[in-house]
Amino acid sequence: MDAMSRTIVIRGAKVHDPANGIDGQIADIWLRDGRVIRSTDADGHFEVIDASGMVAMPGGIDMHSHIAGAKVNAARSLRADDRSLAPPVPSRFERGEFFSGTMGSVPSTFAAAYRYAAMGYTTAFDAAVSPLLARQAHRELDDFPGLDKGFFTLVGNHVALLRAIANRDPQQVKHILAWLLSASLGYAPKVVNPGGVENWKQTGVDIRSLDQRIGIFDTSPREVLQAIARAANDLRLPHPLHIHTNHLGMPGNWRTTLETMRSLDGLKAHFAHIQFHSYAGGNADEDTFGSQVTALADYINEHPELSVDVGQVVFGDTTSMTGDGPVGYYLSRLYGRPWVSSDTELETGCGIVPIEYRKKSVIHAWQWAIGLEWFLSVRDPWQVVMSTDHPNGGSFEAYPEIIRMLMDRRYRQEVLAGLPEAVRQKTCLRDHTREYSLQEIAIITRAAPARLLGLSNKGHLGVGADADVTLYNPSSNYHQMFAMPKHVLKGGQFMIRDFELVLMPMGKTFAVQPAGGEFAEPDFEQWLRRYYTIRPEHFRIASAEIHRLDLVPTHPLP
């Protein structure tokens, strides 16, 4: 019998399934044909998994990571030293027919997939892929066994969209956006420093305000955000708009972030790695740097149409990898480290530079504290998602450590006590008594990202859901608990069984093909022929090129 088609019952687990209102009740979970089924639909032959005393959650979902594509490969080349010094893939992954891999801050595809599986994660999205380089990203994502995946298509500095926005043509903006998503088989539109990267490419200077003119285009970052957000909402995309705001990492950038939130005026949107956009201060002086999480979190708390992932900083060596070229240049000059700048024709830029977050640095300590302030200040856990912006804030492997700090206030205070006094005395972490529950952890790592991504079969254990289940042995050491689940099932097949990696089934790729892209033709394709180095017919990615493609439906407005 095929492994997916056999019936499995996970018996007697303590289930945390927030999407279905199940908070730690003892229950059985029935699986067959890659789905959760009703017990009454089971046949007479089934395998029983005794989960008595164990904690069951849906498979984890990382909705913002950088794991594939041209930028990741450039980072692997830059960080050869990082990989050579990294510990080998743990020995428990060396059994069976598995591929080799390297770790470090930018791990290889197989190694990253094994580590995600080892923590109970079954889905991950790359947060930034340019349309022109999407084919290579898809090829690399096909090299990630054990994960369902997808990526967000970079559009915030695409010259064709900037032209349409400057021409005050919202229909053309919508049609070009639909064309780019369909042609790249992306999942959602991503804006990175909207207009700022193109302005830097033209003038060598980053954008300084939301209302500054962008290079030769008669438009501004505010207008770019509003136009693309409206188009994404009109297209009824499952995940409307993923935003990396202007001025990432700059002291005082909280003002830009708040103004960006206000500019959306009720439109649905998600703010990425919000920690990097929440800084007080007005210059690079450490005495003025600090947190403005309270003001920003208050706004999020009053606007349920908005959500954030945190981008938690983790102390240690890592790699900054961003579609925000000016930031890469700034960090290289700040730290005196070698860097890579990569521009993609008429679409985007990219900056990659090694970075080490040090506990003794006031700036880095603040970044660590600001991330935790976000987790503890957003009242509704359905609006905040676990992320380190891997690898920018640190590795996704740090999620168990972050979970421990969220669930154990005493441990959080112990870490805070080892940081510079300037941070200890000013951060609101001193006064936060909140501790996350297992149910809230299940929300920010599973249920919330599934809902925000519009994935109806993910992030829950109701009938019809994907049979992605993680089983943990409970422990008061939450790091240990979440770092090593006992069993992990993907599509009803064991990936981890009794703590051992036993199988890595191929996952599927999520994408959208919104209606409207056909209306961008032939004018848009004629423009592509004139200005691109690749013809439109070679630009488009055919569905047959993807190993297991899952097209998620959209429901555009008339």
Side-chain angles (χ1 to χ4, degrees):
M1 180 181 294
D2 181 80
M4 287 184 65
S5 62
R6 77 174 188 266
T7 301
I8 295 175
V9 56
I10 300 171
R11 180 149 286 166
K14 182 180 179 182
V15 178
H16 286 274
D17 182 11
N20 290 299
I22 300 174
D23 185 2
Q25 288 97 321
I26 306 300
D28 297 342
I29 305 168
W30 292 81
L31 312 174
R32 189 180 64 206
D33 296 327
R35 301 285 184 185
V36 179
I37 64 169
R38 295 180 178 87
S39 60
T40 54
D41 293 334
D43 53 35
H45 302 282
F46 50 85
E47 178 182 357
V48 178
I49 305 300
D50 183 4
S52 301
M54 301 178 69
V55 172
M57 293 184 180
I61 301 173
D62 194 346
M63 73 176 290
H64 188 107
S65 189
H66 299 280
I67 54 176
K71 66 187 183 302
V72 177
N73 283 316
R76 290 184 182 122
S77 297
L78 181 64
R79 298 306 313 272
D81 62 319
D82 179 54
R83 295 202 313 280
S84 64
L85 296 173
V89 176
S91 59
R92 69 193 185 107
F93 299 156
E94 294 176 358
R95 302 181 185 179
E97 297 180 0
F98 303 117
F99 294 94
S100 62
T102 55
M103 293 302 295
S105 61
V106 193
S108 61
T109 54
F110 299 121
Y114 301 157
R115 290 305 302 153
Y116 268 120
M119 296 192 307
Y121 276 71
T122 56
T123 305
F125 281 78
D126 190 281
V129 172
S130 66
L132 187 60
L133 301 177
R135 181 172 276 104
Q136 188 276 334
H138 278 299
R139 293 286 189 274
E140 196 166 349
L141 286 174
D142 267 350
D143 241 6
F144 273 84
L147 285 176
D148 294 333
K149 56 265 181 179
F151 62 69
F152 306 145
T153 302
L154 289 166
V155 297
N157 290 277
H158 199 290
V159 169
L161 282 169
L162 296 179
R163 289 173 69 250
I165 295 166
N167 291 335
R168 311 297 188 263
D169 189 343
Q171 284 297 103
Q172 185 70 343
V173 172
K174 184 164 67 173
H175 295 158
I176 292 173
L177 181 62
W179 193 98
L180 291 171
L181 287 170
S182 296
S184 65
L185 287 178
Y187 190 75
K190 170 77 175 294
V191 296
V192 172
N193 187 5
V197 177
E198 178 61 25
N199 194 78
W200 188 68
K201 289 164 69 173
Q202 289 186 26
T203 68
V205 178
D206 197 0
I207 285 288
R208 303 196 183 283
S209 80
L210 285 181
D211 297 309
Q212 178 182 330
R213 179 186 170 113
I214 301 167
I216 63 172
F217 299 103
D218 185 21
T219 189
S220 66
R222 187 190 304 273
E223 292 173 339
V224 170
L225 279 161
Q226 292 171 334
I228 296 177
R230 289 191 195 101
N233 277 254
D234 286 350
L235 290 170
R236 295 289 182 92
L237 301 173
H239 185 59
L241 184 61
H242 206 84
I243 300 174
H244 160 144
T245 67
N246 305 84
H247 304 152
L248 178 144
M250 297 294 107
N253 64 7
W254 76 278
R255 300 177 184 87
T256 300
T257 303
L258 183 59
E259 192 58 28
T260 300
M261 292 175 177
R262 289 170 172 164
S263 296
L264 294 171
D265 195 23
L267 295 169
K268 289 184 65 176
H270 178 85
F271 284 79
H273 38 69
I274 192 68
Q275 175 274 134
F276 288 109
H277 304 273
S278 308
Y279 302 155
N283 54 54
D285 185 351
E286 290 189 351
D287 291 337
T288 68
F289 194 87
S291 170
Q292 279 289 349
V293 170
T294 299
L296 296 172
D298 284 350
Y299 193 88
I300 292 293
N301 287 334
E302 298 302 321
H303 290 82
E305 74 278 9
L306 302 179
S307 58
V308 302
D309 65 77
V310 170
Q312 177 66 42
V313 157
V314 180
F315 295 116
D317 184 74
T318 191
T319 302
S320 172
M321 179 194 310
T322 174
D324 199 338
V327 169
Y329 175 72
Y330 170 79
L331 290 174
S332 175
R333 291 178 63 86
L334 180 66
Y335 293 113
R337 304 291 295 272
W339 78 301
V340 172
S341 177
S342 176
D343 291 342
T344 306
E345 294 200 18
L346 305 170
E347 296 181 348
T348 186
C350 178
I352 302 165
V353 62
I355 187 171
E356 181 183 4
Y357 294 108
R358 296 176 294 110
K359 286 186 177 182
K360 293 182 179 180
S361 164
V362 171
I363 300 295
H364 297 164
W366 262 122
Q367 291 176 304
W368 174 89
I370 287 168
L372 292 173
E373 288 180 8
W374 265 106
F375 281 116
L376 299 171
S377 298
V378 175
R379 290 195 297 264
D380 185 354
W382 291 91
Q383 287 180 270
V384 60
V385 171
M386 172 73 73
S387 82
T388 58
D389 186 21
H390 169 86
N392 290 288
S395 171
F396 62 81
E397 291 187 276
Y399 291 167
E401 172 71 3
I402 298 168
I403 288 172
R404 183 181 180 188
M405 288 189 289
L406 294 177
M407 296 189 72
D408 186 342
R409 179 178 182 268
R410 179 177 296 179
Y411 177 67
R412 187 167 69 227
Q413 295 299 317
E414 288 175 3
V415 179
L416 179 62
L419 302 186
E421 184 178 3
V423 178
R424 296 199 312 269
Q425 295 302 318
K426 295 180 181 179
T427 176
C428 64
L429 288 182
R430 294 186 309 160
D431 304 318
H432 265 296
T433 59
R434 180 180 178 182
E435 292 181 326
Y436 268 55
S437 65
L438 284 172
Q439 188 79 341
E440 288 175 314
I441 294 300
I443 293 173
I444 68 171
T445 60
R446 279 117 167 127
R451 179 180 290 183
L452 295 172
L453 289 166
L455 295 174
S456 60
N457 293 331
K458 294 289 185 186
H460 71 97
L461 297 173
V463 173
D466 286 356
D468 298 353
V469 186
T470 305
L471 291 163
Y472 299 100
N473 279 335
S475 172
S476 58
N477 184 327
Y478 298 113
H479 183 149
Q480 183 181 59
M481 173 180 170
F482 283 93
M484 294 187 67
K486 184 173 183 179
H487 304 304
V488 180
L489 293 95
K490 175 78 184 70
Q493 300 181 77
F494 279 98
M495 289 200 299
I496 303 288
R497 188 161 195 167
D498 292 322
F499 306 107
E500 294 283 349
L501 184 70
V502 295
L503 178 71
M504 291 294 281
M506 290 307 301
K508 53 197 172 189
T509 296
F510 295 112
V512 295
Q513 285 192 319
E518 65 275 13
F519 297 113
E521 309 166 3
D523 291 345
F524 180 54
E525 292 198 354
Q526 183 178 354
W527 181 86
L528 288 173
R529 291 177 188 274
R530 181 175 181 182
Y531 293 108
Y532 263 79
T533 59
I534 186 171
R535 297 170 68 86
E537 57 267 32
H538 300 149
F539 195 117
R540 281 186 176 276
I541 300 170
S543 298
E545 296 182 58
I546 310 302
H547 179 70
R548 286 183 61 199
L549 182 64
D550 188 337
L551 289 175
V552 178
T554 61
H555 304 284
L557 294 172

